[in-house]
Amino acid sequence: MRPVYIATAYLGPIQQYCKMLQYPEVRIETAENYVKQTYRNRCSIAAANGPLSLSIPIVKPDTLKCQTKDIRISDHGNWRHLHWNALVSAYNMSPFFEYYEEDFAPFYEKKYEFLADFNEELCRLVCSLIDIQPDMERTDMYKIDFTSDEDDFRERIHPKKDYKEEDPDFIVQPYYQVFQERLGFLPNLSIVDLLFNMGPESLLILQKSL
């Protein structure tokens, strides 16, 4: 059983869900010191004018180093309302948004205290809708040394890194996107872009991306 280590992610990119499909064991890193400007608290969707980054505000930790599992969500800026409106605006015309709308809406109504809890529940929802069943567990200690039977993608799946260089096994498969005629195909967006546009065929796209 070959495990993969990945970071927690807010509606993570397609690349991350490919890893959850590919590996029999998925270890979600929560014992690390929290890293800013990553998918841990942000996602990228296809809005009418191009890629749009949605970021969850966090409560600034009391110390310089704070484990990801202890990072709290801030209520600053009415972000839940803004994020949901952005999702509706971007995907209201997509083929499958109306089928999944009621599944996602509660996440933008209920207040979660910890980012890792919010991300995990969203992730488990997405996995159930796509019909993948990863053996997913959180880490309880930060692992540095890996064996040849383990893979570490905690920092390789990153919004500021080129996935083609970091992960040559991930082969982007184009699929229908609402604004594709205007914007061209936008690769490796949040998993919800794939789900809202392709519905049950999302699994097939993930399989072809490996």
Side-chain angles (χ1 to χ4, degrees), residues 3-4 12 16 41 62 64-65 68 73 84 107 112 118-119 124 127 134 140 147 155 167 181 187 190 205-206:
V4 63
Q16 181 141 337
N41 72 322
D62 295 329
L64 288 176
K65 295 181 178 180
T68 295
I73 295 175
W84 182 246
F107 286 90
Y112 286 77
F118 180 70
N119 286 352
R124 291 189 183 279
C127 287
D140 54 13
T147 68
E155 299 303 325
D167 186 9
E181 193 170 302
S190 166
I205 298 295
L206 292 182

Side-chain angles (χ1 to χ4, degrees), residues 10-195:
Y10 168 45
L11 294 175
I14 292 169
Q15 179 189 10
Q16 181 141 337
Y17 282 82
C18 281
K19 295 292 166 269
M20 293 191 210
L21 176 63
Q22 182 178 4
Y23 288 83
E25 297 182 12
V26 177
R27 300 294 171 256
I28 306 296
E29 183 60 73
T30 58
E32 65 184 355
N33 290 325
Y34 183 73
V35 183
K36 297 179 180 179
Q37 297 184 338
T38 66
Y39 289 124
R40 288 163 179 81
N41 72 322
R42 70 179 59 194
C43 67
S44 182
I45 64 172
N49 294 322
L52 176 64
S53 181
L54 303 177
S55 298
I56 298 175
I58 63 168
V59 177
K60 188 176 181 181
D62 295 329
T63 58
L64 288 176
K65 295 181 178 180
C66 180
Q67 289 189 346
T68 295
K69 67 182 178 65
D70 296 323
I71 293 294
R72 287 176 163 82
I73 295 175
S74 171
D75 289 329
H76 179 74
N78 199 20
W79 70 267
R80 293 177 184 84
H81 177 74
L82 294 176
H83 283 208
W84 182 246
N85 279 358
L87 288 169
V88 172
S89 177
Y91 297 109
N92 196 38
M93 299 301 293
S94 66
F96 293 95
F97 180 76
E98 65 177 327
Y99 292 94
Y100 302 125
E101 183 177 3
E102 292 184 1
D103 293 308
F104 287 91
F107 286 90
Y108 298 91
E109 298 164 357
K110 175 183 175 181
K111 290 186 177 182
Y112 286 77
E113 183 176 3
F114 293 100
L115 178 66
D117 294 340
F118 180 70
N119 286 352
E120 182 177 334
E121 287 202 30
L122 262 177
C123 178
R124 291 189 183 279
L125 168 66
V126 170
C127 287
S128 68
L129 296 176
I130 294 178
D131 195 24
I132 61 176
Q133 299 90 26
D135 177 8
M136 189 163 54
E137 292 182 4
R138 294 188 189 185
T139 61
D140 54 13
M141 61 177 291
Y142 187 72
K143 191 178 181 70
I144 298 176
D145 298 319
F146 289 85
T147 68
S148 58
D149 292 329
E150 300 171 316
D151 283 331
D152 179 14
F153 280 89
R154 294 174 297 183
E155 299 303 325
R156 293 168 67 185
I157 299 175
H158 195 289
K160 295 185 178 181
K161 293 183 179 179
D162 185 350
Y163 62 84
K164 296 175 185 176
E165 295 181 3
E166 294 290 331
D167 186 9
D169 290 335
F170 172 58
I171 309 299
V172 169
Q173 296 295 317
Y175 55 87
Y176 168 81
Q177 292 176 330
V178 174
F179 304 111
Q180 185 169 350
E181 193 170 302
R182 185 192 315 165
L183 304 173
F185 178 74
L186 302 175
N188 204 28
L189 295 177
S190 166
I191 189 65
V192 293
D193 185 80
L194 175 61
L195 185 64

